[in-house]
Amino acid sequence: MSNTKMTIREMCDAFDVTPRTLRFYEAKELIFPERQGQKRLFGKRDRARLKLILRGKRFGFSLEEIRQLLDLYHMDDQQQTQLARTYEIARERLADLEARRDEMTEAIDDLRAQLKWGEKMIASVSTARNAAE
Amino acid sequence: MSNTKMTIREMCDAFDVTPRTLRFYEAKELIFPERQGQKRLFGKRDRARLKLILRGKRFGFSLEEIRQLLDLYHMDDQQQTQLARTYEIARERLADLEARRDEMTEAIDDLRAQLKWGEKMIASVSTARNAAE
DNA sequence: ACACAGCTTGACGTTAACGTAAGTTCGACG
DNA sequence: CGTCGAACTTACGTTAACGTCAAGCTGTGT
């Protein structure tokens, strides 16, 4: 299914990014493709991480912030000593996200109100031709 | 009330930005402070716009995108000829915002699920000491 | 008159997130 | 064996969004 390793080009086509971007993310240790000789091979884990990276970018996070978040999603079993601490951080991040979403909802409501005003303007312009107060 | 014009420093203190940032935004035509002689004076409109700018930044919009959005909020009465077109654009932007918010909600749910998994791990680690499958 | 605090305008520096170009390497194919 | 295309490395270029520093104006207190 989605078990097959993908080449860099397949990745680019699938996620609509450039090779440069994938190599850059690897250099920044956001993804860890295997090597078959010279070439990179991207597995399931890398695809999952890339998906999260692109999502994070749409939310306005920096790559460094995204790297932190990725570490929360992909904890390897070594780090269980710091699990509690990690959990703390994750809770904070979650709070951040929720705050942002609420603020975004507010912005949406604002814009929506603005649009209603716009509707009235359009109506008044198309019927008569007076300025509103 | 909030009718008084503010100096650049008052603005900086109020919004936690640097003078450089405000001048930069003016240069990019995001805000339009008056001049009293040499100095800038920021009125109610500029404060409203700055608030939207900072909000937009938290959402991950570029300053150029934000400028477009600001034009939707602050339509001066000249542009009513293009009102319908503006309205179109605003609807698209609104759809963007809603899509982003929904995606963010999804991300929140994901992270929350991850945290529940984390809780279990903490519990199992604190009581016994076996690796989960 | 003088100092000085605060604002101004350049102008150059910096960081993040890639783009782009130049040259190398490697497996497949005629 | 030659070469062709795809992926690789190295390295310099670019854009956005400011930071920082120098040098000059301006009002205000002493």
Side-chain angles (χ1 to χ4, degrees):
Chain A
M1 298 285 203
S2 63
N3 249 344
T4 57
K5 315 279 184 183
M6 295 172 62
T7 77
I8 198 171
R9 180 116 308 274
E10 291 168 334
M11 287 291 283
C12 293
D13 294 348
F15 290 92
D16 192 37
V17 295
T18 71
R20 171 67 175 137
T21 298
L22 294 178
R23 299 192 191 108
F24 182 77
Y25 289 166
E26 183 186 6
K28 287 300 179 78
E29 302 190 291
L30 292 167
I31 52 182
F32 310 94
E34 319 170 13
R35 293 306 181 93
Q36 157 183 312
Q38 181 87 297
K39 318 202 161 168
R40 290 166 176 79
L41 282 186
F42 300 81
K44 185 184 165 193
R45 181 200 56 206
D46 291 312
R47 289 194 290 274
R49 293 179 69 98
L50 181 56
K51 189 175 172 186
L52 290 176
I53 292 169
L54 298 178
R55 175 188 274 173
K57 290 204 61 180
R58 284 192 294 276
F59 297 165
F61 290 107
S62 73
L63 290 187
E64 179 53 30
E65 290 171 320
I66 291 172
R67 209 177 53 72
Q68 317 263 342
L69 284 171
L70 281 176
D71 291 346
L72 300 183
Y73 279 86
H74 292 247
M75 298 182 286
D76 45 356
D77 306 338
Q78 261 52 18
Q79 304 178 320
Q80 292 188 1
T81 47
Q82 299 183 343
L83 191 57
R85 172 64 185 142
T86 301
Y87 184 73
E88 285 288 312
I89 298 176
R91 293 249 329 151
E92 290 175 18
R93 287 290 141 199
L94 179 55
D96 281 4
L97 277 178
E98 285 175 330
R100 281 203 189 191
R101 189 204 36 193
D102 293 347
E103 197 183 359
M104 187 167 291
T105 297
E106 192 188 335
I108 289 173
D109 292 345
D110 284 5
L111 186 51
R112 207 176 259 144
Q114 214 72 16
L115 282 183
K116 286 213 168 183
W117 187 82
E119 276 174 9
K120 279 197 222 164
M121 290 304 293
I122 290 182
S124 70
V125 165
S126 58
T127 58
R129 193 156 141 270
N130 46 17
E133 190 273 345
Chain B
M1 301 283 200
S2 62
N3 250 343
T4 57
K5 316 278 184 183
M6 295 172 61
T7 78
I8 199 171
R9 180 116 307 273
E10 291 169 335
M11 287 291 282
C12 292
D13 294 348
F15 290 92
D16 192 36
V17 295
T18 70
R20 172 65 175 137
T21 298
L22 294 178
R23 298 192 190 109
F24 182 76
Y25 288 165
E26 182 185 9
K28 286 300 179 76
E29 302 190 292
L30 292 168
I31 53 183
F32 311 94
E34 319 170 10
R35 294 306 180 94
Q36 155 184 310
Q38 179 89 297
K39 319 202 161 172
R40 291 167 175 81
L41 282 186
F42 300 81
K44 185 183 163 193
R45 182 200 55 206
D46 291 312
R47 288 193 291 272
R49 293 177 71 96
L50 181 55
K51 188 177 171 185
L52 290 175
I53 292 169
L54 298 179
R55 175 189 271 174
K57 290 205 62 181
R58 283 192 293 276
F59 296 166
F61 291 107
S62 73
L63 290 185
E64 179 52 31
E65 289 171 321
I66 290 173
R67 209 178 53 73
Q68 316 264 342
L69 285 171
L70 281 176
D71 292 347
L72 300 182
Y73 280 86
H74 294 246
M75 297 182 288
D76 45 355
D77 306 339
Q78 261 50 17
Q79 305 179 321
Q80 292 187 2
T81 47
Q82 298 183 346
L83 191 56
R85 172 63 186 144
T86 300
Y87 184 74
E88 285 287 312
I89 297 177
R91 294 250 327 150
E92 290 175 17
R93 287 290 143 198
L94 179 56
D96 282 4
L97 277 179
E98 287 175 327
R100 280 202 191 190
R101 190 208 31 197
D102 293 347
E103 199 184 357
M104 187 166 292
T105 297
E106 194 188 333
I108 288 172
D109 292 344
D110 285 4
L111 186 51
R112 207 176 259 142
Q114 212 74 15
L115 283 183
K116 287 211 170 183
W117 186 81
E119 278 174 8
K120 280 198 222 165
M121 289 305 292
I122 289 181
S124 72
V125 165
S126 59
T127 58
R129 192 156 142 270
N130 46 16
E133 191 273 343

